[in-house]
Amino acid sequence: MKRIALLPAGSVSDEAAKQFFGDKEVEWEHHRLIADVFQATERGDCHYSVIPIENTIEGSVNLHMDWIVHEVDLPMQAEWVYPSIQNLIGRHDELEDGNGSFDYSCIRKVISHPVAMAQCHQFLRTYIPHAEKEHTGSTAEAVRYVKEHPGEGIVAIGTGRAAVNNGLDVLAKGITDHDNNYTRFMLVGPERYTARQSERIKTSILITLPEDYPGALHQVLSAFAWRRINLSRIESRPTKKKLGNYYFYIEIEMSLDTVLLPAALQEIEAIGCQIRILGCYPSFSYQQLL
């Protein structure tokens, strides 16, 4: 039986992982911190880790990408997307006015994961601009904190599942700024994932350009362009070695098993670029997993 490391029960990661694995028999290992999720698989305690890496509203989850690039050597084995539906969670009877109606002014503090908080910026600005904002390691942790601190005017942003798990009320449903709010998850681990098949195969790489080489990025992109290889994502991030030094994270809509992609990578290495392959993996849309 496969053992899967992920963020706490009731988090979006928890919901997304259970949809992805469906009725397959797996064992879940929940962790409060993303560092522990990564390290559980790196140590060999788990077969895979489930990592949220990108959101429709907020873009890349930089902390998680930095872990993949700088802290661990865990290949990407699959990716999928899942709707990120956030809710305002607390105790209704604790936040009522004198007439028994819910009163936003009774809220003293809002807590959640920073990415979830950012997804709900407009709602918070409109209804709870006065409240203190505090970040936690996951949305599930935030909801659990509210459960453990009654009578303090604290609410959380999190999933409906987390509200039910902790015996709390959903005070406002679907409070994200946009309806099409999806999060992309990556399955990372040493074993190739073969339980599901997808016609869409992607390859993720890191490219570090040679120093003082004018036009190097243009040559990199040209190696893909003239072969008509589609890049679905390209992003620059600091190497953390020297100010002004960057690597490029690139997602390619092609498998390494083709003829064209390895040839393109060889051409890029020939101009002095360093290439690190993060994974070649199946990509699943939300509709494929329904």
Side-chain angles (χ1 to χ4, degrees):
M1 182 187 299
K2 300 300 183 184
R3 189 170 178 84
I4 313 299
L6 68 167
L7 288 170
S11 64
V12 179
S13 291
D14 181 45
E15 292 184 345
K18 288 174 179 175
Q19 186 204 42
F20 181 69
F21 283 93
D23 58 359
K24 296 175 178 59
E25 194 171 344
V26 298
E27 186 176 355
W28 307 110
E29 183 174 300
H30 296 283
H31 294 276
R32 187 174 67 88
L33 301 176
I34 197 67
D36 296 328
V37 175
F38 276 110
Q39 290 171 347
T41 299
E42 187 181 39
R43 288 193 306 267
D45 297 341
C46 294
H47 296 87
Y48 300 108
S49 293
V50 173
I51 309 297
I53 65 165
E54 187 181 12
N55 175 261
T56 303
I57 298 173
E58 279 300 288
S60 293
V61 185
N62 289 331
L63 172 63
H64 300 182
M65 288 301 301
D66 283 348
W67 263 91
I68 290 173
V69 172
H70 298 292
E71 304 295 336
V72 295
D73 185 16
L74 295 173
M76 297 173 171
Q77 302 294 357
E79 72 159 18
W80 72 102
V81 295
Y82 186 80
S84 185
I85 302 172
Q86 305 294 354
N87 310 278
L88 192 69
I89 297 170
R91 293 178 175 83
H92 195 283
D93 58 1
E94 181 184 315
L95 303 168
E96 293 177 349
D97 59 18
N99 300 318
S101 299
F102 173 59
D103 185 0
Y104 284 109
S105 67
C106 296
I107 297 173
R108 292 182 48 253
K109 181 188 291 186
V110 183
I111 63 174
S112 194
H113 188 276
V115 173
M117 190 89 74
Q119 293 169 19
C120 308
H121 175 72
Q122 293 179 14
F123 177 89
L124 296 175
R125 184 176 58 186
T126 301
Y127 294 100
I128 326 176
H130 60 279
E132 179 186 352
K133 312 299 189 297
E134 183 176 310
H135 292 159
T136 57
S138 70
T139 56
E141 180 186 346
V143 176
R144 185 173 61 251
Y145 184 91
V146 171
K147 175 186 178 182
E148 295 170 351
H149 292 79
E152 299 182 22
I154 304 174
V155 297
I157 294 173
T159 67
R161 183 193 297 268
V164 172
N165 290 350
N166 290 277
L168 298 174
D169 303 311
V170 174
L171 306 173
K173 296 182 179 180
I175 64 172
T176 50
D177 295 343
H178 303 278
D179 293 334
N180 62 335
N181 186 31
Y182 285 81
T183 297
R184 189 154 63 101
F185 290 86
M186 193 68 68
L187 192 71
V188 301
E191 297 184 20
R192 186 174 181 181
Y193 176 79
T194 58
R196 289 180 182 268
Q197 303 297 320
S198 176
E199 293 182 358
R200 187 184 185 199
I201 304 297
K202 296 174 68 175
T203 301
S204 290
I205 65 172
L206 295 180
I207 294 182
T208 305
L209 304 181
E211 292 190 39
D212 301 323
Y213 194 120
L217 179 58
H218 174 76
Q219 286 187 269
V220 167
L221 298 179
S222 295
F224 297 116
W226 77 263
R227 291 179 173 88
R228 304 182 69 82
I229 297 174
N230 186 45
L231 308 183
S232 58
R233 182 180 175 194
I234 178 168
E235 181 177 344
S236 64
R237 293 282 296 150
T239 62
K240 300 185 184 296
K241 295 179 180 179
K242 180 181 177 182
L243 186 64
N245 275 22
Y246 297 87
Y247 66 79
F248 290 87
Y249 171 73
I250 299 177
E251 291 181 0
I252 305 163
E253 296 275 353
M254 186 173 286
S255 170
L256 278 172
D257 294 334
T258 62
V259 174
L260 290 177
L261 182 53
L265 299 184
Q266 289 175 8
E267 181 177 325
I268 292 167
E269 287 179 323
I271 64 171
C273 294
Q274 296 179 1
I275 297 177
R276 176 183 167 192
I277 297 172
L278 296 179
C280 180
Y281 49 87
S283 176
F284 301 90
S285 67
Y286 177 57
Q287 289 71 23
Q288 283 179 272
L289 302 178
L290 291 177

